[in-house]
Amino acid sequence: MAFFTSLYSGSSGNCSVVRCGDEYLLIDMGKSCRITLNALKALGLSVGGMRGILVTHEHSDHIAGVRVFAKKYGIPVFASQGTLLAMQPSLEGVESWVLEGPLQLAGMEVTPFATPHDSAQSLGFRIQTADGRQFALATDLGVVTPCVREH
């Protein structure tokens, strides 16, 4: 069964969960580790089921809690090369991966796509679950480009 929800959203922080079965991914983590843990616990989700953090871009309202959370729990971080470079050296010691094409993760296929935003390489994500459901998440859009529309 697929499940998507926003844990929090706004200029003070953004974070969403997409779950397939017992595994899940976070998209962004713009508030502290503690706040995010409390939000996950409220949904009955443990850190043990998390398979990665997908980062849309490096603005603080999308990454404020990523470094502490990823280091503390050994969770890999996936983002564009530009975003990962902008986040260095805060990701030192964290497993991080450049997301350039489709990736199988947590029982889902994650396909990154470019989004227009004032950052190095902002991404949106199209996610297809094992049961055939799919959706796309694109944040901070000023305009819907043909690429965004396609996904």
Side-chain angles (χ1 to χ4, degrees):
M1 178 177 152
F3 173 82
F4 170 82
T5 192
S6 175
L7 295 181
Y8 44 84
S9 177
S11 59
S12 66
N14 297 275
C15 185
S16 298
V17 173
V18 59
R19 184 181 76 185
C20 191
D22 294 331
E23 299 180 320
Y24 68 96
L25 301 169
L26 287 187
I27 302 174
D28 292 333
M29 187 184 300
K31 292 188 179 184
S32 72
C33 180
R34 180 182 51 80
I35 289 171
T36 303
L37 280 173
N38 288 337
L40 291 170
K41 286 179 186 176
L43 291 175
L45 297 174
S46 72
V47 175
M50 187 185 306
R51 297 297 175 252
I53 302 169
L54 307 174
V55 177
T56 59
H57 62 286
E58 68 274 10
H59 291 166
S60 63
D61 60 324
H62 293 265
I63 66 164
V66 171
R67 179 188 61 81
V68 170
F69 197 98
K71 280 185 178 183
K72 183 173 184 173
Y73 296 105
I75 304 295
V77 175
F78 301 85
S80 70
Q81 183 174 11
T83 294
L84 290 175
L85 286 172
M87 292 175 72
Q88 291 298 340
S90 71
L91 291 181
E92 189 174 316
V94 171
E95 182 182 355
S96 57
W97 297 89
V98 174
L99 193 51
E100 295 178 310
L103 172 71
Q104 293 293 322
L105 194 59
M108 297 173 269
E109 182 175 277
V110 177
T111 303
F113 58 93
T115 61
H117 193 45
D118 57 350
S119 65
Q121 293 175 325
S122 183
L123 295 176
F125 303 105
R126 187 179 73 228
I127 300 175
Q128 183 168 345
T129 62
D131 61 2
R133 296 176 184 214
Q134 61 180 324
F135 78 99
L137 179 71
T139 64
D140 297 6
L141 295 176
V143 64
V144 178
T145 64
C147 180
V148 170
R149 183 172 281 116
E150 176 186 336
H151 289 278

